[in-house]
Amino acid sequence: MLLKYAAPLEQIDYALPDHRAWVEKQYERGLFLASGRQVPRTGGVIITRPMPRGKLEALLATDPWAEQKLVKYEICEFEATRTAPELMKLNEAVLQH
């Protein structure tokens, strides 16, 4: 999914520690696969494991940035049909889902 900042960077940065803690929790739960800032810094990107859209939307609503209306999420669903050899385990997990 894509995150688009909906507030000045000062507000984004102020709430960044809470957002990072939330992101870390999703990695611990095994839900997130990759994440980071966009360049230029206008938002971010998160790649998740496959899950029902309703579950994903409910999860995103718990992000402190979303709760404070600092970001807007754009969900872009896709099915990975091919990956680089380094990502073969990911592709196998997706195909088993």
Side-chain angles (χ1 to χ4, degrees), residues 6 41 81:
R41 192 174 173 210
T81 56

Side-chain angles (χ1 to χ4, degrees), residues 16-33:
L16 186 57
D18 292 337
H19 170 73
R20 282 187 176 156
W22 176 81
V23 168
E24 183 61 31
K25 181 178 179 183
Q26 307 323 312
Y27 276 104
E28 290 170 1
R29 295 175 64 200
L31 300 177
F32 285 7
L33 299 172

Side-chain angles (χ1 to χ4, degrees), residues 1-3 32 44-48 56 60 73-76:
M1 72 209 70
L2 299 176
L3 292 79
F32 285 7
V45 176
I46 299 174
I47 300 175
T48 70
L56 178 57
L60 298 178
Y73 281 101
E74 178 184 342
I75 298 171
C76 177

Side-chain angles (χ1 to χ4, degrees), residues 10-20 63-65 68 70:
E10 296 79 25
Q11 290 179 331
I12 297 294
D13 288 340
Y14 182 79
L16 186 57
D18 292 337
H19 170 73
R20 282 187 176 156
D63 177 359
W65 278 354
Q68 297 174 50
L70 301 177

